[in-house]
Amino acid sequence: MKLVYASEMQALDHYTIEECGIPGLVLMENAGRGIAELILSRFAQEASQGVVIVCGPGNNGGDGFVVARHLFQKGYPLKVFSLTEEEKFKGDAQVNLKIIKNMGLPLYFLTTDDLSPLEEALSKNQIIVDAIFGTGLSREVSGRFAKAIELINKSQKIVVSVDMPSGLSADTGRPLGIAVKATVCATMALPKVGQLIYPGKDYVGELEIIDISMPAKIIAEKGPARFCLDVNWACETIKPRPQDSHKGTYGHVAVLAGSQGKTGAAILSCQGALRGGAGLVTLVCPKSLNHIFETTLVEAMTFPLPKETPIQSLSYRAFDQIISFMVGKKAVALGPGFGLHPETFELVHKLVAQVELPMVVDADALSATSGEPYHLRRSQAPRVITPHPGELSRLLDVPKEEIQEDRLLAARAAAKETNAVVVLKGAATVIVSPDGREAVNTTGNPGLASGGSGDVLTGLIASLLGQGYEAFSAACLGVFLHGYAADILAKRKGPWGYTAQEVAETIPLAIKELLVRKEFGKN
Protein backbone atom coordinates (compact mmCIF):
# COMPACT_ATOMS: atom_id res chain seq x y z
CA MET A 1 0.00 0.00 0.00
CA LYS A 2 1.30 3.46 -0.87
CA LEU A 3 2.27 5.82 1.93
CA VAL A 4 1.78 9.57 1.57
CA TYR A 5 2.68 12.95 2.95
CA ALA A 6 -0.13 15.46 3.51
CA SER A 7 0.58 17.40 0.31
CA GLU A 8 0.56 14.17 -1.72
CA MET A 9 -2.81 13.19 -0.26
CA GLN A 10 -4.19 16.62 -1.12
CA ALA A 11 -2.94 16.20 -4.69
CA LEU A 12 -4.62 12.78 -4.95
CA ASP A 13 -7.88 14.30 -3.69
CA HIS A 14 -7.55 17.01 -6.34
CA TYR A 15 -6.96 14.49 -9.15
CA THR A 16 -9.94 12.42 -7.97
CA ILE A 17 -12.25 15.42 -7.97
CA GLU A 18 -10.97 17.21 -11.08
CA GLU A 19 -9.86 14.37 -13.38
CA CYS A 20 -12.26 11.60 -12.38
CA GLY A 21 -15.19 13.87 -11.64
CA ILE A 22 -15.99 12.41 -8.23
CA PRO A 23 -17.32 15.36 -6.21
CA GLY A 24 -15.68 16.21 -2.91
CA LEU A 25 -19.08 15.86 -1.30
CA VAL A 26 -19.14 12.18 -2.32
CA LEU A 27 -15.66 11.60 -0.90
CA MET A 28 -16.72 13.24 2.38
CA GLU A 29 -19.87 11.12 2.51
CA ASN A 30 -17.87 7.94 1.93
CA ALA A 31 -15.41 8.95 4.63
CA GLY A 32 -18.02 9.73 7.26
CA ARG A 33 -20.14 6.68 6.49
CA GLY A 34 -17.07 4.44 6.61
CA ILE A 35 -16.06 5.77 10.02
CA ALA A 36 -19.58 5.37 11.38
CA GLU A 37 -19.60 1.76 10.18
CA LEU A 38 -16.21 1.20 11.79
CA ILE A 39 -17.47 2.55 15.12
CA LEU A 40 -20.53 0.32 15.05
CA SER A 41 -18.54 -2.77 14.05
CA ARG A 42 -16.02 -2.25 16.84
CA PHE A 43 -17.77 -0.33 19.60
CA ALA A 44 -21.55 -0.68 19.17
CA GLN A 45 -22.19 -1.41 22.85
CA GLU A 46 -20.16 1.57 24.01
CA ALA A 47 -21.77 3.78 21.35
CA SER A 48 -25.21 2.89 22.71
CA GLN A 49 -24.14 4.66 25.93
CA GLY A 50 -23.44 7.88 24.07
CA VAL A 51 -21.11 9.43 21.49
CA VAL A 52 -19.47 12.86 21.58
CA ILE A 53 -18.32 14.23 18.23
CA VAL A 54 -15.87 17.14 18.43
CA CYS A 55 -15.47 19.03 15.16
CA GLY A 56 -12.92 21.59 14.07
CA PRO A 57 -12.65 23.79 11.00
CA GLY A 58 -12.52 22.60 7.42
CA ASN A 59 -13.19 19.21 5.89
CA ASN A 60 -12.16 17.26 9.00
CA GLY A 61 -15.08 18.86 10.81
CA GLY A 62 -17.24 18.08 7.79
CA ASP A 63 -16.31 14.40 8.05
CA GLY A 64 -17.36 14.57 11.69
CA PHE A 65 -20.78 15.95 10.71
CA VAL A 66 -21.29 13.01 8.34
CA VAL A 67 -20.30 10.52 11.06
CA ALA A 68 -22.84 12.19 13.37
CA ARG A 69 -25.63 11.95 10.81
CA HIS A 70 -25.13 8.24 10.19
CA LEU A 71 -24.98 7.39 13.90
CA PHE A 72 -28.05 9.56 14.58
CA GLN A 73 -29.98 7.83 11.80
CA LYS A 74 -29.34 4.50 13.49
CA GLY A 75 -30.65 5.78 16.79
CA TYR A 76 -27.43 6.23 18.76
CA PRO A 77 -27.43 8.99 21.40
CA LEU A 78 -24.90 11.70 20.60
CA LYS A 79 -23.85 15.30 20.91
CA VAL A 80 -21.96 17.31 18.30
CA PHE A 81 -19.63 20.10 19.40
CA SER A 82 -18.14 22.53 16.90
CA LEU A 83 -15.09 24.50 18.00
CA THR A 84 -15.51 26.77 14.97
CA GLU A 85 -18.08 29.48 14.31
CA GLU A 86 -20.92 28.40 12.05
CA GLU A 87 -20.26 31.08 9.45
CA LYS A 88 -16.66 29.97 8.97
CA PHE A 89 -17.55 26.61 7.43
CA LYS A 90 -17.33 26.56 3.64
CA GLY A 91 -17.93 24.13 0.78
CA ASP A 92 -18.66 20.49 1.53
CA ALA A 93 -18.30 20.92 5.29
CA GLN A 94 -20.88 23.72 5.21
CA VAL A 95 -23.30 21.50 3.28
CA ASN A 96 -23.03 18.73 5.85
CA LEU A 97 -23.36 21.18 8.74
CA LYS A 98 -26.58 22.49 7.24
CA ILE A 99 -27.90 18.93 6.87
CA ILE A 100 -27.38 17.97 10.51
CA LYS A 101 -28.92 21.29 11.63
CA ASN A 102 -31.98 20.63 9.50
CA MET A 103 -32.23 17.10 10.87
CA GLY A 104 -32.27 18.42 14.42
CA LEU A 105 -29.09 16.79 15.74
CA PRO A 106 -27.97 18.12 19.14
CA LEU A 107 -25.37 20.63 17.97
CA TYR A 108 -23.39 23.07 20.11
CA PHE A 109 -20.95 25.78 19.06
CA LEU A 110 -18.10 26.39 21.53
CA THR A 111 -16.22 29.42 20.27
CA THR A 112 -14.72 30.75 23.52
CA ASP A 113 -12.34 29.24 26.05
CA ASP A 114 -15.30 28.02 28.13
CA LEU A 115 -15.44 24.31 27.25
CA SER A 116 -17.38 23.19 30.32
CA PRO A 117 -20.28 21.79 28.22
CA LEU A 118 -17.79 19.60 26.33
CA GLU A 119 -16.09 18.53 29.56
CA GLU A 120 -19.44 17.48 31.02
CA ALA A 121 -20.41 15.55 27.88
CA LEU A 122 -17.08 13.73 27.81
CA SER A 123 -17.63 12.54 31.38
CA LYS A 124 -21.07 11.07 30.56
CA ASN A 125 -20.47 9.37 27.19
CA GLN A 126 -18.29 6.44 26.15
CA ILE A 127 -17.14 7.19 22.59
CA ILE A 128 -15.36 10.32 21.40
CA VAL A 129 -15.04 11.09 17.71
CA ASP A 130 -12.07 13.43 17.23
CA ALA A 131 -12.74 15.46 14.07
CA ILE A 132 -10.87 18.63 15.06
CA PHE A 133 -7.85 18.68 12.73
CA GLY A 134 -6.85 16.44 9.83
CA THR A 135 -3.75 16.05 7.68
CA GLY A 136 -3.47 19.71 6.73
CA LEU A 137 -2.40 20.99 10.15
CA SER A 138 1.06 22.58 10.09
CA ARG A 139 1.03 25.08 12.97
CA GLU A 140 1.14 24.55 16.71
CA VAL A 141 -2.25 23.97 18.35
CA SER A 142 -3.36 26.65 20.80
CA GLY A 143 -6.36 28.19 22.52
CA ARG A 144 -9.63 26.28 22.86
CA PHE A 145 -8.44 23.68 20.36
CA ALA A 146 -5.52 22.73 22.59
CA LYS A 147 -7.81 22.73 25.62
CA ALA A 148 -10.29 20.45 23.84
CA ILE A 149 -7.50 18.00 23.00
CA GLU A 150 -6.37 18.07 26.61
CA LEU A 151 -9.92 17.27 27.78
CA ILE A 152 -10.19 14.39 25.30
CA ASN A 153 -6.93 12.87 26.51
CA LYS A 154 -7.94 13.24 30.16
CA SER A 155 -11.31 11.56 29.58
CA GLN A 156 -9.89 8.01 29.35
CA LYS A 157 -12.69 7.12 26.91
CA ILE A 158 -12.55 5.33 23.56
CA VAL A 159 -11.32 7.87 21.00
CA VAL A 160 -11.79 7.44 17.25
CA SER A 161 -9.77 10.03 15.34
CA VAL A 162 -10.89 11.12 11.88
CA ASP A 163 -7.98 10.86 9.41
CA MET A 164 -5.32 11.99 11.95
CA PRO A 165 -5.18 12.30 15.72
CA SER A 166 -5.76 16.03 16.03
CA GLY A 167 -2.56 17.95 16.62
CA LEU A 168 -0.28 15.30 15.11
CA SER A 169 1.81 16.18 12.05
CA ALA A 170 0.87 13.94 9.14
CA ASP A 171 4.42 14.28 7.78
CA THR A 172 6.71 13.94 10.79
CA GLY A 173 4.54 12.14 13.34
CA ARG A 174 5.38 14.82 15.90
CA PRO A 175 2.78 16.54 18.08
CA LEU A 176 2.32 20.18 17.18
CA GLY A 177 2.25 21.31 20.79
CA ILE A 178 -0.35 18.75 21.87
CA ALA A 179 -2.06 15.85 20.09
CA VAL A 180 -4.93 13.46 20.68
CA LYS A 181 -4.03 9.96 21.89
CA ALA A 182 -6.41 7.87 19.80
CA THR A 183 -7.73 4.39 20.42
CA VAL A 184 -8.33 4.01 16.69
CA CYS A 185 -7.34 6.32 13.86
CA ALA A 186 -9.58 5.97 10.79
CA THR A 187 -7.58 7.46 7.93
CA MET A 188 -8.79 8.10 4.41
CA ALA A 189 -7.70 6.01 1.42
CA LEU A 190 -4.00 5.67 2.31
CA PRO A 191 -1.82 5.70 5.44
CA LYS A 192 0.16 8.86 6.16
CA VAL A 193 3.88 8.90 6.94
CA GLY A 194 3.35 10.42 10.38
CA GLN A 195 1.06 7.56 11.37
CA LEU A 196 3.70 4.85 10.89
CA ILE A 197 6.84 6.49 12.29
CA TYR A 198 7.55 7.39 15.89
CA PRO A 199 6.44 9.21 17.92
CA GLY A 200 3.31 9.41 15.75
CA LYS A 201 2.66 5.69 15.94
CA ASP A 202 2.15 6.00 19.71
CA TYR A 203 -0.67 8.53 19.15
CA VAL A 204 -2.48 6.66 16.39
CA GLY A 205 -3.53 3.55 18.32
CA GLU A 206 -4.91 1.05 15.82
CA LEU A 207 -4.76 2.34 12.25
CA GLU A 208 -7.76 1.61 10.03
CA ILE A 209 -7.91 2.56 6.35
CA ILE A 210 -11.29 3.89 5.16
CA ASP A 211 -12.13 3.25 1.51
CA ILE A 212 -13.52 6.53 0.15
CA SER A 213 -13.68 5.22 -3.46
CA MET A 214 -10.54 6.96 -4.60
CA PRO A 215 -9.81 5.24 -7.93
CA ALA A 216 -6.96 2.73 -7.88
CA LYS A 217 -5.75 4.15 -11.18
CA ILE A 218 -5.28 7.59 -9.63
CA ILE A 219 -3.35 6.12 -6.70
CA ALA A 220 -1.15 3.98 -8.97
CA GLU A 221 -0.38 6.71 -11.49
CA LYS A 222 -0.29 9.82 -9.32
CA GLY A 223 0.78 8.45 -5.96
CA PRO A 224 4.37 8.55 -4.72
CA ALA A 225 6.89 5.70 -4.97
CA ARG A 226 6.65 5.20 -1.21
CA PHE A 227 5.16 2.13 0.39
CA CYS A 228 3.87 0.80 3.66
CA LEU A 229 5.45 -2.63 4.18
CA ASP A 230 2.47 -4.64 5.37
CA VAL A 231 1.31 -8.22 4.87
CA ASN A 232 -0.44 -7.38 1.60
CA TRP A 233 2.76 -5.92 0.16
CA ALA A 234 4.85 -8.86 1.38
CA CYS A 235 2.47 -11.42 -0.12
CA GLU A 236 2.69 -9.66 -3.47
CA THR A 237 6.49 -9.48 -3.33
CA ILE A 238 7.60 -12.89 -2.04
CA LYS A 239 8.27 -15.48 -4.76
CA PRO A 240 7.12 -19.10 -4.39
CA ARG A 241 9.61 -21.78 -5.39
CA PRO A 242 9.08 -24.35 -8.14
CA GLN A 243 9.27 -27.96 -6.97
CA ASP A 244 12.13 -28.82 -9.34
CA SER A 245 14.54 -26.18 -8.03
CA HIS A 246 17.88 -26.98 -6.38
CA LYS A 247 20.51 -25.27 -4.23
CA GLY A 248 22.17 -23.71 -7.26
CA THR A 249 18.92 -21.93 -8.07
CA TYR A 250 19.06 -19.81 -4.95
CA GLY A 251 22.53 -18.41 -4.98
CA HIS A 252 25.81 -18.78 -3.15
CA VAL A 253 26.21 -16.04 -0.52
CA ALA A 254 29.61 -15.01 0.81
CA VAL A 255 29.62 -13.67 4.37
CA LEU A 256 32.69 -11.67 5.36
CA ALA A 257 32.45 -11.30 9.12
CA GLY A 258 33.98 -12.08 12.47
CA SER A 259 37.06 -11.15 14.50
CA GLN A 260 38.38 -11.83 17.97
CA GLY A 261 35.52 -11.48 20.47
CA LYS A 262 32.95 -11.04 17.68
CA THR A 263 32.57 -14.55 16.28
CA GLY A 264 28.88 -14.56 17.25
CA ALA A 265 28.12 -11.79 14.77
CA ALA A 266 29.54 -13.87 11.93
CA ILE A 267 27.61 -16.97 13.01
CA LEU A 268 24.31 -15.05 13.27
CA SER A 269 24.81 -13.49 9.82
CA CYS A 270 25.32 -16.93 8.33
CA GLN A 271 22.20 -18.19 10.09
CA GLY A 272 20.22 -15.26 8.72
CA ALA A 273 21.40 -16.12 5.20
CA LEU A 274 20.63 -19.83 5.62
CA ARG A 275 17.21 -19.32 7.21
CA GLY A 276 16.38 -16.78 4.51
CA GLY A 277 16.75 -19.50 1.90
CA ALA A 278 20.19 -19.07 0.34
CA GLY A 279 21.25 -22.14 -1.63
CA LEU A 280 24.81 -22.03 -0.27
CA VAL A 281 26.55 -19.90 2.35
CA THR A 282 30.30 -19.56 2.90
CA LEU A 283 31.87 -17.59 5.72
CA VAL A 284 35.13 -15.88 4.73
CA CYS A 285 37.00 -15.60 8.01
CA PRO A 286 40.42 -15.30 9.72
CA LYS A 287 42.17 -18.67 9.78
CA SER A 288 42.91 -18.37 13.50
CA LEU A 289 39.17 -18.38 14.26
CA ASN A 290 38.17 -21.07 11.79
CA HIS A 291 37.99 -23.82 14.44
CA ILE A 292 35.18 -21.91 16.17
CA PHE A 293 33.16 -21.59 12.97
CA GLU A 294 33.82 -25.16 11.80
CA THR A 295 32.34 -26.55 15.00
CA THR A 296 29.38 -24.13 15.12
CA LEU A 297 28.21 -23.71 11.54
CA VAL A 298 26.99 -27.06 10.30
CA GLU A 299 25.25 -26.04 7.07
CA ALA A 300 27.54 -23.15 6.11
CA MET A 301 31.03 -23.61 4.70
CA THR A 302 34.11 -21.62 5.68
CA PHE A 303 36.94 -20.08 3.67
CA PRO A 304 39.71 -19.36 6.20
CA LEU A 305 42.44 -16.90 5.28
CA PRO A 306 45.79 -16.54 7.05
CA LYS A 307 46.36 -12.88 6.20
CA GLU A 308 44.94 -11.30 9.31
CA THR A 309 45.61 -8.52 11.79
CA PRO A 310 46.86 -8.78 15.40
CA ILE A 311 43.21 -8.61 16.58
CA GLN A 312 42.36 -11.66 14.45
CA SER A 313 40.45 -9.78 11.77
CA LEU A 314 41.04 -10.00 8.04
CA SER A 315 43.66 -7.69 6.54
CA TYR A 316 43.75 -5.87 3.20
CA ARG A 317 46.54 -8.33 2.29
CA ALA A 318 43.81 -10.96 1.82
CA PHE A 319 42.08 -8.88 -0.88
CA ASP A 320 43.31 -10.82 -3.95
CA GLN A 321 42.31 -14.18 -2.44
CA ILE A 322 38.88 -12.84 -1.60
CA ILE A 323 38.38 -11.49 -5.12
CA SER A 324 39.32 -14.87 -6.59
CA PHE A 325 36.92 -16.59 -4.21
CA MET A 326 34.02 -14.34 -5.29
CA VAL A 327 33.84 -15.95 -8.74
CA GLY A 328 30.49 -17.70 -9.04
CA LYS A 329 28.98 -16.11 -5.93
CA LYS A 330 25.71 -14.18 -6.12
CA ALA A 331 25.78 -11.81 -3.14
CA VAL A 332 27.93 -10.64 -0.24
CA ALA A 333 27.30 -9.73 3.38
CA LEU A 334 30.13 -7.56 4.74
CA GLY A 335 30.82 -6.21 8.19
CA PRO A 336 29.22 -7.97 11.19
CA GLY A 337 31.93 -8.30 13.82
CA PHE A 338 34.54 -7.67 11.11
CA GLY A 339 36.89 -5.73 13.36
CA LEU A 340 38.08 -2.14 13.68
CA HIS A 341 41.75 -2.52 12.78
CA PRO A 342 43.12 -0.02 10.19
CA GLU A 343 44.17 -2.89 7.88
CA THR A 344 40.61 -4.26 8.07
CA PHE A 345 39.21 -0.83 7.25
CA GLU A 346 41.46 -0.67 4.18
CA LEU A 347 40.13 -4.07 3.11
CA VAL A 348 36.56 -2.82 3.51
CA HIS A 349 37.26 0.22 1.33
CA LYS A 350 38.60 -1.98 -1.46
CA LEU A 351 35.84 -4.59 -1.21
CA VAL A 352 33.02 -2.05 -1.16
CA ALA A 353 34.38 -0.31 -4.24
CA GLN A 354 35.59 -3.26 -6.32
CA VAL A 355 33.49 -6.39 -5.67
CA GLU A 356 31.08 -6.55 -8.60
CA LEU A 357 28.32 -8.35 -6.72
CA PRO A 358 25.28 -7.10 -4.77
CA MET A 359 26.48 -6.43 -1.23
CA VAL A 360 25.01 -5.68 2.18
CA VAL A 361 27.32 -3.39 4.17
CA ASP A 362 26.77 -3.33 7.92
CA ALA A 363 28.31 -2.83 11.37
CA ASP A 364 32.13 -2.59 11.35
CA ALA A 365 32.14 -2.14 7.58
CA LEU A 366 29.96 0.94 8.05
CA SER A 367 32.37 2.18 10.71
CA ALA A 368 35.13 1.87 8.10
CA THR A 369 33.26 4.34 5.89
CA SER A 370 32.40 6.84 8.66
CA GLY A 371 32.59 10.33 7.24
CA GLU A 372 33.73 8.86 3.92
CA PRO A 373 30.61 7.82 1.97
CA TYR A 374 32.51 8.16 -1.30
CA HIS A 375 33.84 4.62 -0.79
CA LEU A 376 30.29 3.37 -1.31
CA ARG A 377 29.65 5.72 -4.23
CA ARG A 378 32.57 4.20 -6.15
CA SER A 379 30.86 0.82 -6.40
CA GLN A 380 29.61 -0.45 -9.76
CA ALA A 381 27.23 -3.00 -8.21
CA PRO A 382 24.16 -2.62 -5.96
CA ARG A 383 24.86 -1.82 -2.31
CA VAL A 384 22.52 -2.05 0.67
CA ILE A 385 23.66 -0.35 3.87
CA THR A 386 21.94 -1.16 7.17
CA PRO A 387 22.90 1.48 9.75
CA HIS A 388 21.29 2.19 13.08
CA PRO A 389 20.99 5.95 13.81
CA GLY A 390 24.42 6.16 15.47
CA GLU A 391 26.12 4.53 12.49
CA LEU A 392 24.31 6.78 10.03
CA SER A 393 25.30 9.78 12.16
CA ARG A 394 28.96 8.81 11.82
CA LEU A 395 28.65 7.99 8.13
CA LEU A 396 27.12 11.36 7.24
CA ASP A 397 28.91 13.30 10.00
CA VAL A 398 25.67 14.80 11.32
CA PRO A 399 24.27 14.68 14.88
CA LYS A 400 22.28 11.59 15.84
CA GLU A 401 19.46 13.87 17.04
CA GLU A 402 19.17 15.26 13.52
CA ILE A 403 18.88 11.72 12.14
CA GLN A 404 16.07 10.90 14.56
CA GLU A 405 14.24 14.19 13.97
CA ASP A 406 13.20 13.05 10.47
CA ARG A 407 14.33 9.51 9.75
CA LEU A 408 13.00 9.40 6.19
CA LEU A 409 14.76 12.65 5.33
CA ALA A 410 18.01 11.33 6.82
CA ALA A 411 17.77 8.05 4.92
CA ARG A 412 17.03 9.99 1.73
CA ALA A 413 20.17 12.07 2.22
CA ALA A 414 22.23 8.94 2.88
CA ALA A 415 20.94 7.23 -0.27
CA LYS A 416 21.98 10.28 -2.28
CA GLU A 417 25.41 10.45 -0.63
CA THR A 418 26.22 6.74 -0.98
CA ASN A 419 24.23 5.71 -4.07
CA ALA A 420 23.11 2.74 -1.94
CA VAL A 421 19.79 1.43 -0.70
CA VAL A 422 19.60 2.64 2.91
CA VAL A 423 17.96 0.59 5.66
CA LEU A 424 17.76 2.92 8.66
CA LYS A 425 17.10 0.50 11.50
CA GLY A 426 14.96 1.19 14.54
CA ALA A 427 11.30 1.22 15.46
CA ALA A 428 9.47 1.57 12.13
CA THR A 429 12.58 0.91 10.02
CA VAL A 430 12.71 3.06 6.88
CA ILE A 431 14.18 1.96 3.56
CA VAL A 432 15.18 4.40 0.81
CA SER A 433 16.60 3.70 -2.65
CA PRO A 434 18.75 6.20 -4.57
CA ASP A 435 16.21 5.98 -7.41
CA GLY A 436 13.55 7.59 -5.18
CA ARG A 437 11.61 4.58 -3.89
CA GLU A 438 10.86 4.61 -0.17
CA ALA A 439 9.23 2.36 2.39
CA VAL A 440 8.33 2.24 6.09
CA ASN A 441 8.09 -1.13 7.81
CA THR A 442 5.14 -2.17 9.99
CA THR A 443 6.54 -5.33 11.60
CA GLY A 444 8.82 -5.81 14.59
CA ASN A 445 8.65 -5.09 18.31
CA PRO A 446 10.91 -4.07 21.23
CA GLY A 447 12.15 -7.66 21.58
CA LEU A 448 14.44 -6.97 18.61
CA ALA A 449 16.38 -4.50 20.74
CA SER A 450 19.06 -7.05 21.61
CA GLY A 451 22.53 -7.92 20.43
CA GLY A 452 22.78 -9.87 17.19
CA SER A 453 19.41 -8.91 15.67
CA GLY A 454 21.07 -6.69 13.07
CA ASP A 455 23.55 -9.43 12.15
CA VAL A 456 20.66 -11.77 11.32
CA LEU A 457 19.06 -9.04 9.20
CA THR A 458 22.29 -8.51 7.26
CA GLY A 459 22.50 -12.21 6.37
CA LEU A 460 18.80 -12.33 5.50
CA ILE A 461 18.99 -9.41 3.05
CA ALA A 462 22.13 -10.89 1.46
CA SER A 463 20.26 -14.18 1.08
CA LEU A 464 17.44 -12.45 -0.80
CA LEU A 465 19.94 -10.65 -3.03
CA GLY A 466 21.51 -14.01 -3.82
CA GLN A 467 18.09 -15.41 -4.73
CA GLY A 468 17.66 -12.74 -7.38
CA TYR A 469 15.61 -10.03 -5.68
CA GLU A 470 16.74 -6.58 -6.76
CA ALA A 471 18.33 -4.47 -4.04
CA PHE A 472 15.38 -2.36 -2.86
CA SER A 473 12.96 -5.31 -2.86
CA ALA A 474 15.50 -7.50 -1.05
CA ALA A 475 16.03 -4.85 1.60
CA CYS A 476 12.30 -4.30 2.10
CA LEU A 477 11.38 -7.98 2.18
CA GLY A 478 14.29 -8.75 4.50
CA VAL A 479 13.24 -6.04 6.95
CA PHE A 480 9.61 -7.18 6.84
CA LEU A 481 10.43 -10.88 7.38
CA HIS A 482 12.88 -10.09 10.18
CA GLY A 483 10.20 -8.10 12.03
CA TYR A 484 7.47 -10.62 11.21
CA ALA A 485 9.54 -13.45 12.71
CA ALA A 486 10.02 -11.33 15.84
CA ASP A 487 6.27 -10.71 16.02
CA ILE A 488 5.63 -14.46 15.90
CA LEU A 489 8.10 -14.95 18.75
CA ALA A 490 6.52 -12.13 20.77
CA LYS A 491 3.17 -13.92 20.60
CA ARG A 492 4.60 -17.31 21.45
CA LYS A 493 7.30 -16.53 23.98
CA GLY A 494 6.71 -13.05 25.34
CA PRO A 495 7.27 -9.44 24.31
CA TRP A 496 11.07 -9.63 24.79
CA GLY A 497 13.79 -11.96 25.98
CA TYR A 498 13.96 -14.09 22.85
CA THR A 499 17.34 -14.14 21.12
CA ALA A 500 18.65 -13.18 17.71
CA GLN A 501 19.28 -16.86 17.02
CA GLU A 502 15.61 -17.59 17.70
CA VAL A 503 14.64 -14.82 15.29
CA ALA A 504 16.75 -16.50 12.61
CA GLU A 505 15.17 -19.88 13.35
CA THR A 506 11.67 -18.37 13.02
CA ILE A 507 12.25 -16.79 9.58
CA PRO A 508 11.10 -19.96 7.72
CA LEU A 509 7.83 -19.88 9.68
CA ALA A 510 7.34 -16.24 8.72
CA ILE A 511 7.94 -17.18 5.07
CA LYS A 512 5.48 -20.06 5.38
CA GLU A 513 2.74 -17.79 6.73
CA LEU A 514 3.19 -15.36 3.84
CA LEU A 515 3.10 -18.12 1.23
CA VAL A 516 -0.07 -19.60 2.76
CA ARG A 517 -1.72 -16.18 2.68
CA LYS A 518 -0.54 -15.67 -0.89
CA GLU A 519 -1.85 -19.05 -2.07
CA PHE A 520 -5.21 -18.90 -0.36
CA GLY A 521 -5.87 -15.19 -0.73
CA LYS A 522 -5.86 -14.40 2.97
CA ASN A 523 -3.78 -11.29 2.61
Side-chain angles (χ1 to χ4, degrees):
M1 181 176 290
K2 294 206 171 188
L3 181 64
V4 294
Y5 285 118
S7 60
E8 294 165 343
M9 191 69 230
Q10 290 164 3
L12 290 171
D13 282 337
H14 175 79
Y15 291 129
T16 299
I17 293 167
E18 298 299 325
E19 295 190 13
C20 285
I22 301 176
L25 201 58
V26 171
L27 298 177
M28 185 174 287
E29 179 68 19
N30 291 344
R33 183 179 63 247
I35 295 170
E37 290 171 353
L38 171 65
I39 291 169
L40 296 183
S41 68
R42 296 281 300 275
F43 308 114
Q45 184 175 349
E46 292 86 352
S48 67
Q49 300 172 52
V51 180
V52 176
I53 299 165
V54 190
C55 298
N59 285 344
N60 203 246
D63 292 338
F65 299 146
V66 178
V67 174
R69 171 161 48 84
H70 282 281
L71 293 178
F72 185 77
Q73 281 289 90
K74 292 185 179 295
Y76 286 86
L78 57 82
K79 289 185 176 181
V80 183
F81 292 91
S82 171
L83 302 177
T84 301
E85 295 86 347
E86 182 176 358
E87 60 273 13
K88 289 190 177 180
F89 286 99
K90 306 295 180 186
D92 301 331
Q94 183 185 52
V95 171
N96 279 296
L97 173 59
K98 186 179 294 185
I99 291 172
I100 67 168
K101 278 189 66 181
N102 291 340
M103 289 175 63
L105 272 68
L107 173 63
Y108 308 89
F109 290 92
L110 303 179
T111 58
T112 69
D113 288 340
D114 179 13
L115 299 185
S116 53
L118 173 61
E119 187 171 13
E120 181 183 0
L122 294 177
S123 69
K124 295 180 178 178
N125 295 274
Q126 296 304 308
I127 303 284
I128 303 167
V129 176
D130 156 36
I132 304 173
F133 296 119
T135 60
L137 184 69
S138 58
R139 66 185 184 281
E140 194 152 305
V141 182
S142 60
R144 65 183 179 278
F145 299 102
K147 187 175 179 181
I149 292 172
E150 184 179 355
L151 290 174
I152 290 170
N153 287 341
K154 285 172 61 178
S155 72
Q156 300 295 304
K157 302 296 175 68
I158 295 169
V159 180
V160 178
S161 285
V162 174
D163 214 10
M164 286 293 297
S166 291
L168 192 70
S169 167
D171 290 350
T172 68
R174 297 195 173 276
L176 297 168
I178 187 172
V180 167
K181 280 259 191 178
T183 309
V184 176
C185 177
T187 200
M188 312 312 167
L190 295 168
K192 316 307 182 288
V193 170
Q195 294 166 340
L196 295 191
I197 60 176
Y198 287 90
K201 200 169 182 179
D202 282 335
Y203 288 80
V204 165
E206 294 183 51
L207 184 63
E208 295 281 354
I209 310 299
I210 303 298
D211 180 6
I212 60 171
S213 298
M214 181 172 285
K217 180 181 179 183
I218 290 288
I219 294 172
E221 293 180 358
K222 305 292 188 180
R226 186 184 311 106
F227 301 90
C228 164
L229 301 184
D230 57 11
V231 170
N232 289 342
W233 174 89
C235 287
E236 291 172 2
T237 303
I238 196 165
K239 302 172 186 175
R241 291 187 169 187
Q243 292 299 316
D244 61 348
S245 57
H246 53 84
K247 64 185 178 184
T249 310
Y250 302 110
H252 191 163
V253 175
V255 178
L256 284 76
S259 61
Q260 185 181 45
K262 298 179 179 180
T263 54
I267 292 166
L268 288 168
S269 294
C270 289
Q271 288 179 340
L274 289 164
R275 296 295 186 177
L280 293 167
V281 176
T282 298
L283 174 63
V284 181
C285 62
K287 186 175 181 179
S288 62
L289 299 175
N290 189 54
H291 64 286
I292 297 173
F293 300 126
E294 287 276 22
T295 55
T296 306
L297 292 169
V298 178
E299 295 89 354
M301 298 171 284
T302 65
F303 183 62
L305 294 172
K307 295 175 181 178
E308 55 184 83
T309 71
I311 66 165
Q312 294 175 283
S313 62
L314 289 176
S315 165
Y316 70 88
R317 291 175 283 111
F319 176 75
D320 289 340
Q321 287 176 278
I322 293 171
I323 290 297
S324 297
F325 171 76
M326 291 297 176
V327 175
K329 308 305 180 291
K330 295 297 183 183
V332 181
L334 173 65
F338 205 45
L340 302 175
H341 193 278
E343 289 188 15
T344 305
F345 277 16
E346 188 171 343
L347 175 61
V348 168
H349 298 160
K350 296 178 75 170
L351 291 172
V352 164
Q354 297 184 44
V355 171
E356 295 183 357
L357 292 171
M359 178 185 291
V360 186
V361 182
D362 184 34
D364 291 345
L366 284 173
S367 295
T369 61
S370 291
E372 301 176 321
Y374 61 85
H375 291 297
L376 288 155
R377 282 201 305 272
R378 291 164 56 200
S379 172
Q380 299 301 306
R383 297 290 181 256
V384 178
I385 64 173
T386 56
H388 56 60
E391 289 167 336
L392 192 60
S393 169
R394 294 191 293 273
L395 178 67
L396 297 180
D397 195 22
V398 299
K400 181 179 174 181
E401 294 74 23
E402 187 176 319
I403 300 292
Q404 291 294 75
E405 186 70 25
D406 191 332
R407 287 165 51 81
L408 259 175
L409 183 66
R412 211 174 284 140
K416 183 178 180 180
E417 280 292 313
T418 62
N419 198 36
V421 174
V422 178
V423 175
L424 179 53
K425 294 183 290 194
T429 292
V430 301
I431 305 97
V432 175
S433 173
D435 64 12
R437 290 174 292 169
E438 300 178 354
V440 177
N441 190 40
T442 62
T443 61
N445 57 74
L448 283 172
S450 65
S453 292
D455 304 320
V456 172
L457 177 62
T458 295
L460 175 56
I461 296 173
S463 172
L464 294 167
L465 287 170
Q467 293 171 57
Y469 289 88
E470 62 88 24
F472 180 72
S473 296
C476 289
L477 187 56
V479 168
F480 180 90
L481 285 170
H482 186 250
Y484 198 38
D487 289 341
I488 292 170
L489 284 169
K491 291 176 184 175
R492 294 187 173 185
K493 293 205 164 198
W496 56 80
Y498 53 82
T499 66
Q501 186 168 345
E502 289 175 306
V503 173
E505 291 169 353
T506 310
I507 291 168
L509 183 56
I511 293 170
K512 175 187 173 183
E513 289 196 7
L514 289 184
L515 291 174
V516 168
R517 286 173 178 266
K518 185 181 184 83
E519 183 178 358
F520 294 101
K522 294 180 181 178
N523 56 319

